[in-house]
Amino acid sequence: MPELMGFDLWVIAAAVVLIIILIAGVKQVPQGYNYTVERFGRYVRTLGPGLNLIIPVIDRIGAKMNMMEQVLDVPTQEVITRDNATVSADGVAFYQVLDAARAAYEVRGLENAILNLTMTNVRTVMGSMDLDELLSKRDDINARLLTVVDEATTPWGVKVTRIEIKDIAPPKDLVDSMARQMKAERDKRASILTAEGERQAAILAAEGQKQAAILEAEGRKESAFRDAEARERLAQAEARATLMLSEAIGKGNIQAINYFVAQKYVEAVAKLATSPNQKVLLMPLDTSGLIGTLAGVAELAQEALGKTGVRS
């Protein structure tokens, strides 16, 4: 009996040890992680998320790598630009482990290595640019940093997805100088715009005066043309009237002679009345005198016509 009891204890102990060994060979890997397996200290394979089996005692878990995208803060550092301006800059880097084995065994201290690599290239890239470029071309800086750092980390099984410069802070005296320069530039642009506006206004005013002068000249030309046309028509009318009057006088029409003399008399009186030097105007108020004068002129014309007829 004592021998049986000792045997049972050995069996139970062996079973317990076997169970412990089996449990030690079962590994559960959480989502987003990869575990490396080492056999006698040498890498043999990588365990993915889920339930995995390894050989107990012989195999062991090496590195537990986070395969999710991770954020790395780049601390503030001073950078000297190409034009010898000192600025402070910080940033942030995003990276993801693509190959757990290479990330575990190709570099020691992966996060620290990426951080130092990024900081070094920040100084290199920003130091090759002028201050104005540094402040206005942040996207170019980010793109250049991403290209350089991602290429350098590729052998480590890491993909750098993004690098962003968060803040660029020039010294206070440099900021004040830039503010004065910007103010001077704005004042200059304002003066140029004001002068350009005045110049444009003067040009438009001159154009307006030119158009007005052209229209006025065209108006005078049209007026002169119409005045000349009116005088021509008046002369033609007077010539026609004189011809008709001459023909009437030649035919012995006494009324025509009376009309001609009366017209000239009235025109002479009108000119005398409108003369600027005339202060006192003496006019015959008795129309009978005018009629008598006309009658006398008519008699003279009759006599002249009569003599003409006798001679003929």
Side-chain angles (χ1 to χ4, degrees), residues 77-81 85-89 126 131 134-135 168-171 174:
Q77 59 178 332
E78 290 188 351
V79 179
I80 300 177
T81 62
T86 303
V87 298
S88 298
M126 296 179 66
L131 180 61
L134 206 64
L135 298 175
I168 300 175
L174 188 58

Side-chain angles (χ1 to χ4, degrees), residues 208-222:
Q209 293 176 359
K210 176 182 176 182
Q211 293 296 328
I214 292 173
L215 293 176
E216 183 179 358
E218 290 180 352
R220 289 197 302 269
K221 176 182 177 182
E222 185 68 19

Side-chain angles (χ1 to χ4, degrees), residues 139-178:
D139 290 340
D140 293 345
I141 298 173
N142 296 334
R144 291 175 61 183
L145 284 173
L146 178 61
T147 301
V148 174
V149 177
D150 183 50
E151 183 179 356
T153 57
T154 299
W156 302 341
V158 175
K159 173 66 177 177
V160 179
T161 57
R162 179 175 296 183
I163 297 178
E164 297 286 344
I165 298 298
K166 293 194 297 185
D167 189 24
I168 300 175
K172 187 177 183 303
D173 56 345
L174 188 58
V175 173
D176 295 338
S177 299
M178 293 172 60

Side-chain angles (χ1 to χ4, degrees), residues 86-146:
T86 303
V87 298
S88 298
D90 60 356
V92 60
F94 298 83
Y95 71 94
Q96 184 177 14
V97 176
L98 302 180
D99 190 332
R102 295 169 67 185
Y105 301 111
E106 293 291 339
V107 61
R108 183 178 180 86
L110 177 63
E111 184 173 314
N112 187 55
I114 296 175
L115 177 61
N116 282 277
L117 185 63
T118 304
M119 293 179 65
T120 301
N121 282 279
V122 165
R123 289 193 297 269
T124 302
V125 173
M126 296 179 66
S128 64
M129 305 174 70
D130 294 331
L131 180 61
D132 292 338
E133 293 179 318
L134 206 64
L135 298 175
S136 61
K137 297 182 178 180
R138 190 169 298 190
D139 290 340
D140 293 345
I141 298 173
N142 296 334
R144 291 175 61 183
L145 284 173
L146 178 61

Side-chain angles (χ1 to χ4, degrees), residues 169-238:
K172 187 177 183 303
D173 56 345
L174 188 58
V175 173
D176 295 338
S177 299
M178 293 172 60
R180 289 193 297 270
Q181 181 181 1
M182 291 174 61
K183 184 178 183 300
E185 286 291 333
R186 291 193 184 96
D187 293 341
K188 177 182 176 182
R189 287 197 295 268
S191 300
I192 293 174
L193 291 176
T194 302
E196 186 67 23
E198 293 176 353
R199 173 176 173 272
Q200 193 67 23
I203 291 174
L204 292 177
E207 286 290 335
Q209 293 176 359
K210 176 182 176 182
Q211 293 296 328
I214 292 173
L215 293 176
E216 183 179 358
E218 290 180 352
R220 289 197 302 269
K221 176 182 177 182
E222 185 68 19
S223 176
F225 176 76
R226 294 189 179 277
D227 290 343
E229 185 178 3
R231 287 194 299 271
E232 181 181 0
R233 291 182 179 178
L234 180 60
Q236 292 177 356
E238 290 180 351

